[in-house]
Amino acid sequence: MAEDDEAAVDRGDPADEPFPLLIAVTPSPAERIRLAERLDGIAPLLLVADLDELRRLIGVPRQAAAPASETAPAAALVIDSARSAARCGDREVDLTRLEHDLLTCLITEPARVWSYAELHRTVWGDEGRGRKADVQSLVKRLRRKLHDLGTDAAIDVVRGVGLRLTDHQQARVERA
């Protein structure tokens, strides 16, 4: 057996190997941007404003959480692309095309913070320079609908950076 073959056998599945993840906690949006620029390409990078935000993202339960027997598991947020609707448990709301596309963006890359420009490009299909209000208006309507559904999923603003979906662990998109 050649040396290369032996090395390949010893490595196993690359998905099982650990990889570095840099986590930076800073309340300053300017500092997060600076870190993202300096550390780009070094390793996957997670930038958060505080430890509570980090706990929400990685799913660490709070110390003062109620006992498991007292809390019912939250129903999953499901986006039905075929019907352009969102469901949570037995509740359902209709979504406009823009609402559907925005929510789909946020769910498909849950840990990502989307800038307003990226959302405008993805949802509206244009640059949307200086049209941050379009995204804010759409988010306001979506927040109301998510509240009506009773889901724990929420659209949060990362000040100076953009938007992301929080409490999204069970959210998914169903396509026809």
Side-chain angles (χ1 to χ4, degrees):
M1 186 181 282
E3 283 184 35
D4 291 338
D5 293 337
E6 288 176 18
V9 170
D10 292 338
R11 279 191 212 122
D13 185 9
D16 293 336
E17 294 183 24
F19 64 91
L21 172 65
L22 297 174
I23 300 174
V25 181
T26 177
S28 166
E31 184 68 14
R32 286 193 298 272
I33 292 169
R34 188 182 71 75
L35 285 169
E37 290 170 349
R38 289 190 125 181
L39 300 173
D40 186 36
I42 292 175
L45 177 63
L46 176 60
L47 298 168
V48 294
D50 56 39
L51 290 176
D52 287 334
E53 183 178 11
L54 178 61
R55 286 183 190 105
R56 283 192 309 268
L57 283 173
I58 62 175
V60 175
R62 291 185 177 268
Q63 296 295 340
S69 60
E70 293 179 17
T71 58
L77 172 64
V78 178
I79 307 304
D80 186 342
S81 291
R83 299 179 51 233
S84 194
R87 285 192 315 270
C88 184
D90 59 350
R91 296 180 182 175
E92 181 174 291
V93 294
D94 292 329
L95 300 172
T96 66
R97 183 194 64 81
L98 293 175
E99 291 167 344
H100 171 271
D101 292 351
L102 178 70
L103 201 49
T104 300
C105 280
L106 297 172
I107 287 175
T108 54
E109 294 189 54
R112 177 177 178 184
V113 177
W114 290 77
S115 72
Y116 289 95
E118 290 171 326
L119 286 170
H120 220 288
R121 264 193 307 276
T122 305
V123 175
W124 279 267
D126 62 20
E127 289 302 313
R129 290 198 174 100
R131 295 189 13 218
K132 186 175 170 182
D134 293 343
V135 178
Q136 291 170 327
S137 175
L138 186 59
V139 166
K140 182 178 179 180
R141 291 193 311 264
L142 260 176
R143 283 181 174 148
R144 193 174 316 121
K145 288 184 178 187
L146 290 174
H147 180 268
D148 291 347
L149 282 174
T151 180
D152 289 336
I155 301 171
D156 283 350
V157 173
V158 178
R159 192 169 159 193
V161 182
L163 300 168
R164 73 155 171 251
L165 191 68
T166 58
D167 293 328
H168 51 71
Q169 285 80 11
Q170 299 176 15
R172 69 181 189 275
V173 177
E174 291 181 348
R175 303 188 196 284

